[in-house]
Each structure stands twice: as C-alpha cells, then as structure tokens.
Amino acid sequence: MAKTSTSTQGLRAAIERSGYYPALVAEAVEAAIGGDSIRSYLVHQETTFDANEVRRHVTVLVLTGNRFIVSHTDEQAADTTSPTPYATTSTESVKLGRISSVVLSRVVANPESYTPGTLPREVVLTIGWGAVARIDLEPAACGDPNCEADHGYTGSSTADDLSLRVSEAGDGPETVRQALVFAQALSEATADVAR
C-alpha cells in the first residue's frame, strides 16, 4: 500500500491502512517529522520470503520543506537475542541539499504504442545522498577459455542509499501513481534547493 498527500492526518491514516504495526511506525515517523509541515509522503509495504519465513517490511518516505525522511520497519522472528518476535524501526532525516540524485526507472509494456500519461507497469525509485555505496565485484577474466591466470577483479561502485520498487501487479495501479507523484515532488524539491 502506498499513499502520497500533504497532511499529518493523511500520513497517519496511510500508515494505519498498511496494517503493519501502525502505532509503532506512526510514532517513529511523527517523531522524525517533528513540527515540520509535510509536502508529500509515500507509505509502501512489502512482503518478502526468507527461506521458510514470510517477512513484512514497511518503508515510509516523507518530504518536508527542507528534509527528506525515510523510515524502515522490519519484523524479526524470535532468535538468540529475543525469545519472542520483535520489530526494528529506524528513521533517517536527510537535508534536501544532501540529496545528490533522484532516479526514477519506469518499465513500460508495449513501448511502440505508448501513450503519454499511461502508467508504467512498475517503477523503481532510487535516491542517493551519500550515506551508502555499494561495490559489486567479480573475478576479471580474459578471452582465452584455457587461461588459468589470476586477472584480479573488476566491478562497479554505486551510490544506493534507497531503492524502492513498486509494481502494478504487486501493489496496484494507484500505488504506482502515488510513487510517481512522490518522486516528482522530491525531484522538484531538490531542484529548488540547488537554485
């Protein structure tokens, strides 16, 4: 479930509709927002499969006048540190001026007959502010299939602080639309700060 709007009550209602520990998630997000006014937000719940377990995760993105707030909440099964299941919630507040990139990737079916305004099949919103960099390495090789020499490694480094995938099949068309609205609001806000 995703929702974008500009009110504290609307944000709380979207968190409650997600059904994912709403009191915990709302308290963490509202504490991070403080007294700032909300320009836009997006609430996205995702279910993942980890071995034999189903796990839920919720991400809340909030745009205020001068900050981008991201909150993640994950549930964990009982383990050696806790005899009962538990949830972990984290929030990060980023000044808009620190956001270095807002990337929106769109997947469109039948691009040869695309009509402007048609919703993409899925979108991936990637936001970078320099907190996390991912390095992907793999063994380097040469063109000789019989070569056994060590050619070292090759790879790439990617700024990847947040990547959020929303699909029409998994999340519904309204969620895709709302992700597009939030991405545009964030992109415009970071452009305003750069001026």
Side-chain angles (χ1 to χ4, degrees):
M1 156 171 288
K3 181 66 180 162
T4 182
S5 183
T6 57
S7 74
T8 304
Q9 295 84 6
L11 173 58
R12 182 174 271 278
I15 291 170
E16 288 173 0
R17 276 192 305 276
S18 79
Y20 185 81
Y21 307 121
L24 173 65
V25 173
E27 180 181 57
V29 171
E30 290 170 2
I33 294 168
D36 287 0
S37 61
I38 298 171
R39 291 171 67 174
S40 187
Y41 62 82
L42 179 65
V43 176
H44 181 259
Q45 182 180 324
E46 181 178 18
T47 302
T48 58
F49 300 93
D50 181 18
N52 294 330
E53 296 180 14
V54 176
R55 293 200 176 173
R56 296 179 302 159
H57 171 88
V58 69
T59 301
V60 179
L61 308 179
V62 179
L63 175 62
T64 71
N66 60 359
R67 295 184 299 146
F68 166 65
I69 297 165
V70 59
S71 174
H72 296 287
T73 303
D74 293 290
E75 63 185 356
Q76 308 293 328
D79 58 22
T80 58
T81 65
S82 176
T84 60
Y86 61 98
T88 303
T89 299
S90 64
T91 57
E92 183 173 1
S93 177
V94 181
K95 290 183 181 180
L96 288 179
R98 290 206 44 217
I99 295 178
S100 56
S101 66
V102 177
V103 180
L104 184 66
S105 300
R106 301 167 189 241
V107 177
V108 177
N110 303 313
E112 69 281 355
S113 61
Y114 176 76
T115 303
T118 303
L119 284 178
R121 186 170 63 198
E122 71 180 56
V123 297
V124 178
L125 175 60
T126 305
I127 304 164
W129 58 90
V132 177
R134 183 183 68 220
I135 298 176
D136 294 320
L137 295 175
E138 62 185 37
C142 68
D144 181 0
N146 298 317
C147 180
E148 294 182 15
D150 183 356
H151 295 286
Y153 289 88
T154 184
S156 62
S157 175
T158 308
D160 195 15
D161 294 306
L162 174 76
S163 189
L164 185 71
R165 178 182 172 269
V166 179
S167 71
E168 184 178 28
D171 303 298
E174 185 57 30
T175 303
V176 173
R177 182 177 293 104
Q178 292 162 348
L180 291 169
V181 168
F182 182 83
Q184 182 174 350
L186 182 61
S187 184
E188 289 172 356
T190 58
D192 288 343
V193 169
R195 289 184 198 153

